[in-house]
């Protein structure tokens, strides 16, 4: 799918409490990928790091039975409130990725994790920045998802995950394949730099994560499937 197609997806407008990640370009890109999966009524879907609940609610609208988790209580409350306002029944609970869901498996796992490289490493547990900051290479949460999500997929189950091209999509694909999944980049889109990346542009260029001529950020969707 082209970037033009991704940008044509209508924006998701939901209520967000202060400090909760609001739907943006990456959310819309993942919504478009989700639409192509042909989710059947009653399919079991897990939204890891739900934030506002945008992806969980979209999956519920498609007929899925959805569980949504987030480590931040504000995100849990935001997702629950948005589900109430949208009249969708989803299960929302606090969990550090899969820690509160031992032994559960799903037809589809969707994830928009923190992935922005940070010169000061991962943020503290009470910082709003933990919704986007993810260590020096942006992979602090990505690598944990690659290591744990495969165990939550049923045979034939799929993972859809979005992240920045700054985090090296080839590493994500390789780690998911090492975990036994078939994985590839299914979508790419170039979007304007947001305020966080703009504020770190000098550092990103100095470390080689961005070139001097780069003026946009590449977003990628990784699709992986359990054989």
């Amino acid at each position: 799918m082209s970037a033009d197609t991704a940008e044509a997806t209508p924006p998701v407008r939901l209520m967000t409490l202060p400090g909760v990640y609001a739907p943006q370009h990456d959310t819309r890109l993942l919504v478009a990928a989700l639409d192509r999966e042909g989710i059947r009524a009653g399919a079991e879907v897990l939204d890891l790091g739900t934030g506002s609940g945008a992806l969980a609610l979209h999956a519920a609208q498609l007929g899925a039975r959805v569980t949504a988790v987030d480590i931040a209580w504000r995100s849990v409350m935001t997702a629950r409130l948005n589900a109430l306002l949208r009249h969708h029944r989803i299960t929302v609970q606090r969990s550090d990725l899969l820690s509160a869901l031992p032994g559960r498996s799903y037809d589809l796992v969707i994830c928009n994790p923190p992935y922005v490289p940070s010169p000061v490493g991962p943020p503290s547990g009470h910082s709003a920045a933990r919704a986007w900051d993810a260590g020096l290479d942006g992979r602090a949460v990505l690598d944990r998802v690659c290591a744990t999500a495969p165990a939550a997929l049923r045979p034939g189950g799929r993972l859809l995950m979005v992240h920045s091209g700054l985090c090296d999509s080839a590493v994500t694909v390789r780690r998911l394949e090492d975990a036994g999944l078939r994985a590839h980049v299914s979508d790419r889109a170039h979007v304007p730099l947001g305020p966080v990346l703009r504020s770190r542009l000098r550092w990103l260029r100095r470390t080689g994560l961005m070139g001097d001529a780069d003026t946009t950020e590449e977003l990628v969707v990784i699709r992986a499937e359990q054989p």
Side-chain angles (χ1 to χ4, degrees):
M1 185 183 66
S2 70
D4 290 340
T5 304
E7 289 302 307
T9 304
V12 182
R13 292 186 176 90
L14 296 172
M15 185 280 299
T16 54
L17 293 175
V20 176
Y21 186 75
Q24 298 182 42
H25 295 286
D26 47 7
T27 313
R28 295 193 286 272
L29 193 62
L30 204 48
V31 163
L34 186 58
D35 282 339
R36 297 197 308 273
E37 288 298 315
I39 295 175
R40 68 182 187 278
E44 295 273 4
V45 172
L46 172 64
D47 181 14
L48 285 177
T50 193
S52 67
L55 295 167
L57 290 169
H58 190 74
Q61 185 177 345
L62 295 175
R65 292 186 293 179
V66 183
T67 300
V69 300
D70 203 290
I71 194 171
W73 274 115
R74 284 192 179 189
S75 294
V76 171
M77 298 307 298
T78 297
R80 287 176 178 171
L81 181 55
N82 280 321
L84 182 64
L85 294 173
R86 291 293 187 93
H87 306 290
H88 285 307
R89 182 174 295 179
I90 62 175
T91 299
V92 187
Q93 62 187 91
R94 184 176 184 270
S95 179
D96 181 8
L97 298 182
L98 296 167
S99 62
L101 306 168
R104 294 284 303 275
S105 61
Y106 302 87
D107 299 299
L108 178 67
V109 175
I110 49 180
C111 185
N112 183 359
Y115 55 69
V116 177
S118 169
V120 295
S124 68
H126 297 289
S127 170
R130 69 176 176 175
W132 56 83
D133 279 354
L136 293 173
D137 59 0
R139 299 197 58 89
V141 179
L142 281 172
D143 288 340
R144 293 182 61 212
V145 175
C146 290
T148 59
L153 294 176
R154 296 169 179 168
R158 295 145 290 163
L159 167 70
L160 292 175
M161 180 164 61
V162 64
H163 67 73
S164 174
L166 299 175
C167 307
D168 196 339
S169 57
V171 172
T172 304
V173 169
R174 184 175 69 249
R175 292 188 176 177
L176 290 171
E177 289 178 339
D178 289 344
L181 304 185
R182 294 190 294 263
H184 67 283
V185 175
S186 64
D187 300 88
R188 297 180 187 270
H190 286 269
V191 302
L193 297 179
V196 175
L197 286 184
R198 289 198 303 271
S199 72
R200 298 173 184 175
L201 197 52
R202 182 176 299 178
W203 174 77
L204 290 166
R205 288 173 173 165
R206 187 171 66 247
T207 57
L209 289 172
M210 293 190 72
D212 290 341
D214 291 340
T215 58
T216 62
E217 178 189 16
E218 181 186 49
L219 298 176
V220 298
V221 173
I222 308 294
R223 186 185 189 276
E225 187 170 349
Q226 188 75 269

